[in-house]
Amino acid sequence: SGGSESDFGFKANGSDAITRDFIIRNLGSGLLAGIEIPTTLGSSFSVDPLSQVPPRLDPGEEFTVRVIYDLPEWVTGSSFSDGNLQIHSTDANTPLFHVDLSGTGGTAAQGAGRAFSDAGLSGADAAPDATPFNDGVENLLKYAFNMDLSGPDVSQLQPGGSSGLPSGGLVEEGGETVFRVEFIRRKHSGLSYIPRKSGTLEPGAVEPMAGAVTVEDIDGQWERVTVDEPCDAATEYRCFSVV
């Protein structure tokens, strides 16, 4: 067909730009020539200048265009953006293929509130610190760790998983014992995730973890973070963590 659409989702004001890759492929049996793609796609969308657009594609060939969604610095409140990715070519049936682009910006609180509303929560049940299903897990934690906002959820993140409350424990890594904390992080949300540790459960005794950090991409909205903190069992008898 001559068109499609792509929603870039929510981006908190001041967060990193959202990028999405589009693959243009010649599935036909003839030459596709005269390929042109405008670089400016709207006030908030643009083509990555590093994207290389070839003038022609033989059958079976393809190339990738990276589109960037970012908001002007003057945008501070909730906003909706739209744009249009236009692909011109000598395709006899579809000389102009277009992809309608959209995205929503706002504060971190507005992004969370939007997710609470989408999950069917309202009134006092939609507060960040509310536990509408009496499971002990606040809405904000479910939002931050990719958990179910529409029902009870007390799941804990499993190694290599993509949802659940943070997990922590001792593991052997490279011949040494480390205290490993693993958690899910929502991209472009405006939320701050700070893993901390302590040798006691006393309030105020926690300190930021300073170990090696590994970030694994899950998809366009989520990533998995692992922090490995060296732990000397001879001197550290207990270790607690919180994110």
Side-chain angles (χ1 to χ4, degrees):
S1 67
S4 184
E5 59 184 24
S6 180
D7 183 0
F8 280 61
F10 177 81
K11 176 190 176 303
N13 300 332
S15 65
D16 293 340
I18 299 176
T19 61
R20 183 164 293 179
D21 290 342
F22 294 84
I23 299 174
I24 290 83
R25 180 182 298 119
N26 183 357
L27 297 177
S29 58
L31 172 68
L32 199 63
I35 301 174
E36 294 181 2
I37 297 180
T39 56
T40 301
L41 315 177
S43 61
S44 301
F45 296 91
S46 61
V47 171
D48 189 327
L50 297 180
S51 296
Q52 299 294 320
V53 179
R56 53 180 283 167
L57 281 181
D58 288 322
E61 290 186 333
E62 65 181 41
F63 68 96
T64 300
V65 170
R66 173 162 293 180
V67 174
I68 302 171
Y69 169 48
D70 205 358
L71 297 170
E73 293 184 359
W74 53 264
V75 176
T76 57
S78 179
S79 64
F80 174 80
S81 302
D82 59 6
N84 195 276
L85 172 64
Q86 298 184 358
I87 305 167
H88 302 263
S89 74
T90 55
D91 187 318
N93 297 319
T94 312
L96 171 59
F97 186 94
H98 64 91
V99 182
D100 293 329
L101 310 173
S102 61
T104 305
T107 65
Q110 288 170 332
R114 180 186 179 194
F116 301 158
S117 177
D118 290 345
L121 302 176
S122 61
D125 285 344
D129 59 353
T131 55
F133 303 100
N134 299 316
D135 54 9
V137 183
E138 298 177 355
N139 288 332
L140 183 59
L141 295 180
K142 292 183 177 181
Y143 174 73
F145 299 124
N146 195 22
M147 300 170 69
D148 184 9
L149 278 163
S150 62
D153 188 355
V154 296
S155 60
Q156 188 175 33
L157 179 65
Q158 300 301 309
S162 60
S163 173
L165 295 169
S167 61
L170 295 176
V171 298
E172 293 294 326
E173 188 71 29
E176 67 174 343
T177 302
V178 299
F179 185 72
R180 172 169 293 174
V181 171
E182 192 170 5
F183 60 94
I184 298 299
R185 186 163 62 191
R186 182 184 285 267
K187 300 178 182 178
H188 317 293
S189 65
L191 300 179
S192 296
Y193 295 72
I194 305 175
R196 300 176 184 270
K197 70 169 186 175
S198 174
T200 173
L201 289 175
E202 294 180 8
V206 295
E207 58 184 16
M209 297 181 69
V213 178
T214 302
V215 180
E216 300 173 85
D217 188 68
I218 296 176
D219 56 30
Q221 190 173 26
W222 300 97
E223 57 192 7
R224 183 170 45 252
V225 180
T226 303
V227 183
D228 284 345
E229 188 95 350
C231 180
D232 185 355
T235 58
E236 298 183 72
Y237 303 107
R238 302 178 183 86
C239 199
F240 304 98
S241 66
V242 61
V243 178

